[in-house]
Amino acid sequence: QVQLVESGGGLVQAGDSLRLSCAASGRTFSSYAMGWFRQAPGKEREFVAAIIWSGGSTVYVDSVKGRFTISRDNAKNTVYLQMNSLKPEDTAVYYCAARRSRGATSSLSQYDYWGQGTQVTVSS
């Protein structure tokens, strides 16, 4: 069992930056692929970014490429999402997810554990 706790959300203005963190429990964090998803009001949860177990490969949704960076520190059991040049359309609850596999994927159904989410609000 893996428990995930997100932090770092908040209210910012367009163009600002935020860094989200996701702390994971358990000794097997380094063997999991990790992902970030988001859900805006009235919309389905959508993929944002994912990273393989080693951190050596990442994948992003097109709308955040060049603005967001996913990274991980396996020694700290933590995955990060650095978000720059934030836009109002980035407003959502952001969720961290873990997959019992080393490969990253954008498929929501492939993730086994989820955090409770952290709210990100970007004002114009």
Side-chain angles (χ1 to χ4, degrees), residues 78-99:
T78 302
V79 63
Y80 305 97
L81 185 67
Q82 178 67 44
M83 304 186 295
N84 299 329
S85 302
L86 282 161
K87 303 176 181 180
E89 52 263 45
D90 295 318
T91 295
V93 177
Y94 283 71
Y95 296 91
C96 170
R99 181 177 187 230

Side-chain angles (χ1 to χ4, degrees), residues 67-110:
R67 300 189 298 123
F68 290 12
T69 302
I70 187 172
S71 62
R72 66 189 295 161
D73 185 336
N74 287 344
K76 295 182 178 180
N77 280 16
T78 302
V79 63
Y80 305 97
L81 185 67
Q82 178 67 44
M83 304 186 295
N84 299 329
S85 302
L86 282 161
K87 303 176 181 180
E89 52 263 45
D90 295 318
T91 295
V93 177
Y94 283 71
Y95 296 91
C96 170
R99 181 177 187 230
R100 287 194 305 256
S101 170
R102 295 188 170 191
T105 176
S106 61
S107 174
L108 185 150
S109 64
Q110 296 295 312

Side-chain angles (χ1 to χ4, degrees), residues 42-79:
K43 295 187 177 181
E44 293 186 351
R45 194 170 299 189
E46 66 170 0
F47 170 76
V48 176
I51 188 167
I52 67 170
W53 67 279
S54 65
S57 181
T58 57
V59 60
Y60 299 90
V61 68
D62 285 347
S63 60
V64 308
K65 285 180 180 178
R67 300 189 298 123
F68 290 12
T69 302
I70 187 172
S71 62
R72 66 189 295 161
D73 185 336
N74 287 344
K76 295 182 178 180
N77 280 16
T78 302
V79 63

